[in-house]
């Protein structure tokens, strides 16, 4: 009886071939389930390789450990990337929600301005060929520059001058009206279009004031740029608000002050404040003030006792009527005051009533609220009630 002998079975090749097929099957399954290899699929593939590895040439333990460590690091990075993506989406959603909330709050606060007269910044003029009157606020040495779209001065109008009736252009508060005839410096008519309005110092070119409009708020709305105040003088954004008058005076306590005070952040303002700190180390302290003719300045201590008097006419006045006084601490008696806080009073010529306002210039950093919910103007470490607002630059 004969026996047919087939080809010999090479166990090593068989195991290698089987291992390759199993690995391919696992890889195909991984590709079908997703575009990336997750940790479960990796472990399945690794166990399959171990199960069918060549017993005569087993996998290197160190290589396997290195591969597992690399995979763990990769998985950690992927998880971190997913977490950061989710965090970014969460932050974006929060910012968007916060922006919507702030917009709603601004609009709600602005509705309290309805019926109030407001002063709003005017940055440009639409010229159609006719003359125009422009309201301005400036200081001594200021000029109004009318600038074209290329940034070139078309015309400059000094604010130190006088009107046709001989009165000064700027009053004691620095407010005034100038007329532009629509011509350049050479007397030639300029083209119709939009021109920028800049109030600046004639010598340095730095901004020293602003052009403005005034009107009564009739409605409040919104557009793509924020809250809009609709007035009988035109439509303006809340960010252009300079002052709000609850009737005829600044410093009323109407609810509109919240919206008005927010718009002052970053602006330079004049605040009614008669206090001043004197120290021997510094040697002096100074005040700014306005005063009527014939008034007298009095420096008093916290008890109201008068330490020093001086005639206001002894101090030079700026173009807007404001003055300044520097005190070296000397009393009328000749003695020197001790370190402490003192106050400047401006007494009218009748010796009884106030003859002016003492103020300080500050840049508003932020807005706070007192115990009653009324807004506070904050600059550095000091805060003032909104009712102390004098003027805005």
């Amino acid at each position: 009886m004969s026996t047919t002998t087939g080809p010999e079975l090479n166990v090593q090749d068989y195991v290698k071939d089987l291992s390759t097929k199993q690995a391919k099957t696992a890889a195909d399954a991984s590709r079908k389930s997703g575009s990336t290899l997750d940790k479960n699929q990796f472990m399945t593939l690794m166990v399959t390789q171990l199960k069918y590895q060549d017993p005569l040439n087993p996998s290197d333990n160190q290589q396997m450990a290195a591969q597992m460590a690399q995979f763990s690091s990769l998985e950690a990075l992927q998880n971190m990337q997913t977490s950061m993506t989710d965090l970014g989406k969460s932050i974006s959603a929060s910012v968007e929600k916060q922006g919507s909330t702030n917009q709603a709050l601004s609009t709600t606060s602005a509705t309290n301005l309805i019926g109030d007269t407001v002063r709003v910044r005017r940055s440009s003029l639409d010229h159609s060929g006719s003359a125009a009157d422009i309201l301005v606020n400036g200081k001594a040495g200021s000029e109004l520059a009318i600038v074209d779209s290329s940034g070139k001065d078309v015309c400059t109008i000094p604010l130190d001058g006088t009107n046709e009736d001989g009165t000064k252009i700027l009053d004691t508060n620095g407010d005034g009206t100038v007329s532009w005839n629509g011509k350049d410096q050479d007397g030639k008519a300029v083209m119709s279009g939009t021109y920028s309005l800049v109030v600046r110092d004639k010598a340095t070119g730095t901004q020293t004031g602003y052009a403005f409009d005034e009107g009564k708020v009739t409605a409040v709305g919104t557009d793509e740029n924020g809250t809009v105040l609709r007035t009988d003088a035109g439509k303006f954004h809340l960010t252009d608000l300079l002052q709000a008058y609850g009737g005829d005076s600044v410093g009323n306590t109407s609810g509109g002050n919240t919206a008005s005070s927010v718009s002052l952040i970053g602006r330079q303002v004049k605040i009614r404040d008669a206090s001043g700190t004197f120290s021997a180390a510094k040697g002096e302290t100074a005040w700014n003030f306005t005063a009527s003719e014939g008034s007298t300045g009095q420096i008093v201590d916290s008890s109201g006792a008068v330490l020093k008097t001086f005639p206001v006419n002894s101090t030079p006045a700026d173009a807007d009527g404001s003055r300044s006084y520097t005190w070296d601490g000397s009393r009328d008696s000749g003695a020197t005051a001790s370190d402490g806080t003192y106050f400047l009073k401006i007494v009218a010529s009748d010796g009884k009533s106030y003859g002016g306002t003492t103020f300080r210039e500050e840049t508003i950093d932020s807005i706070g609220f007192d115990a009653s919910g009324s807004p506070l103007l904050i600059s550095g470490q000091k805060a003032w009630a909104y009712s102390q607002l004098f003027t805005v630059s």
Side-chain angles (χ1 to χ4, degrees):
M1 179 173 165
S2 62
T3 304
T4 303
T5 311
E8 293 183 359
L9 177 63
N10 188 320
V11 177
Q12 185 172 342
D13 290 342
Y14 173 77
V15 171
K16 184 181 294 186
D17 182 61
L18 184 61
S19 176
T20 301
K21 290 180 179 179
Q22 293 290 344
K24 183 176 183 300
T25 301
D28 289 342
S30 172
R31 282 192 293 271
K32 290 178 181 178
S33 62
S35 60
T36 59
L37 188 68
D38 63 21
K39 60 183 179 181
N40 293 327
Q41 294 167 339
F42 175 80
M43 291 302 295
T44 300
L45 180 61
M46 186 184 72
V47 169
T48 301
Q49 288 178 324
L50 291 175
K51 184 177 179 180
Y52 294 103
Q53 68 178 332
D54 184 355
L56 302 179
N57 185 24
S59 299
D60 188 296
N61 291 338
Q62 291 184 349
Q63 261 189 352
M64 290 180 59
Q67 290 174 356
M68 292 182 68
Q70 290 173 356
F71 183 81
S72 297
S73 299
L74 178 60
E75 183 184 21
L77 289 173
Q78 289 176 334
N79 291 339
M80 184 182 296
Q81 182 179 18
T82 301
S83 298
M84 292 300 291
T85 300
D86 292 341
L87 178 61
K89 292 179 180 178
S90 177
I91 292 175
S92 297
S94 297
V95 170
E96 183 177 354
K97 184 177 181 180
Q98 182 68 35
S100 300
T101 301
N102 290 341
Q103 176 64 43
L105 288 173
S106 296
T107 304
T108 301
S109 299
T111 58
N112 293 313
L113 293 171
I114 295 176
D116 286 352
T117 298
V118 295
R119 173 178 293 194
V120 289
R121 188 180 299 273
R122 183 181 186 182
S123 58
S124 62
L125 169 69
D126 291 327
H127 175 60
S128 58
S130 57
D133 290 334
I134 305 169
L135 298 174
V136 294
N137 177 277
K139 298 181 179 180
S142 297
E143 65 181 4
L144 170 66
I146 299 172
V147 186
D148 64 18
S149 58
S150 68
K152 179 183 177 182
D153 289 353
V154 171
C155 179
T156 56
I157 303 174
L159 302 183
D160 287 335
T162 58
N163 298 305
E164 292 182 357
D165 59 2
T167 60
K168 291 183 177 180
I169 291 177
L170 298 180
D171 62 18
T172 56
N173 293 320
D175 295 337
T177 303
V178 295
S179 295
W180 179 48
N181 57 11
K183 298 180 180 180
D184 61 17
Q185 294 295 116
D186 298 326
K188 298 179 181 179
V190 302
M191 297 177 60
S192 298
T194 300
Y195 294 85
S196 298
L197 302 175
V198 181
V199 176
R200 66 192 185 194
D201 184 85
K202 289 187 291 186
T204 65
T206 57
Q207 187 170 331
T208 55
Y210 51 84
F212 66 91
D213 276 314
E214 287 186 332
K216 181 169 289 188
V217 179
T218 57
V220 174
T222 60
D223 63 11
E224 64 277 7
N225 295 317
T227 303
V228 174
L229 303 176
R230 299 183 184 277
T231 75
D232 50 18
K235 183 179 74 172
F236 307 93
H237 285 97
L238 183 61
T239 52
D240 294 324
L241 181 64
L242 292 169
Q243 296 180 20
Y245 306 83
D248 298 324
S249 62
V250 181
N252 68 91
T253 56
S254 69
N257 289 347
T258 299
S260 302
S261 59
V262 171
S263 70
L264 295 177
I265 295 176
R267 298 280 179 85
Q268 188 178 43
V269 301
K270 292 179 180 178
I271 298 176
R272 295 179 179 87
D273 189 342
S275 65
T277 302
F278 172 77
S279 67
K282 185 178 179 182
E284 62 183 29
T285 188
W287 288 271
N288 297 313
F289 62 94
T290 62
S292 58
E293 192 69 26
S295 297
T296 300
Q298 294 182 346
I299 297 175
V300 302
D301 59 18
S302 56
S303 68
V306 179
L307 279 67
K308 179 78 174 181
T309 59
F310 64 91
V312 297
N313 291 338
S314 65
T315 61
D318 293 335
D320 61 1
S322 63
R323 303 170 184 265
S324 63
Y325 179 75
T326 301
W327 182 47
D328 60 3
S330 62
R331 303 182 181 214
D332 287 335
S333 64
T336 300
S338 57
D339 293 0
T341 300
Y342 298 90
F343 305 87
L344 174 63
K345 290 174 57 179
I346 305 299
V347 182
S349 55
D350 60 10
K352 299 178 181 179
S353 57
Y354 284 101
T357 300
T358 306
F359 64 89
R360 61 192 303 159
E361 293 184 326
E362 299 284 346
T363 298
I364 301 304
D365 300 326
S366 59
I367 300 299
F369 297 90
D370 61 19
S372 66
S374 298
L376 297 173
L377 307 179
I378 300 173
S379 178
Q381 302 299 314
K382 298 202 66 175
W384 298 267
Y386 181 83
S387 59
Q388 297 301 105
L389 180 64
F390 188 33
T391 59
V392 182
S393 299

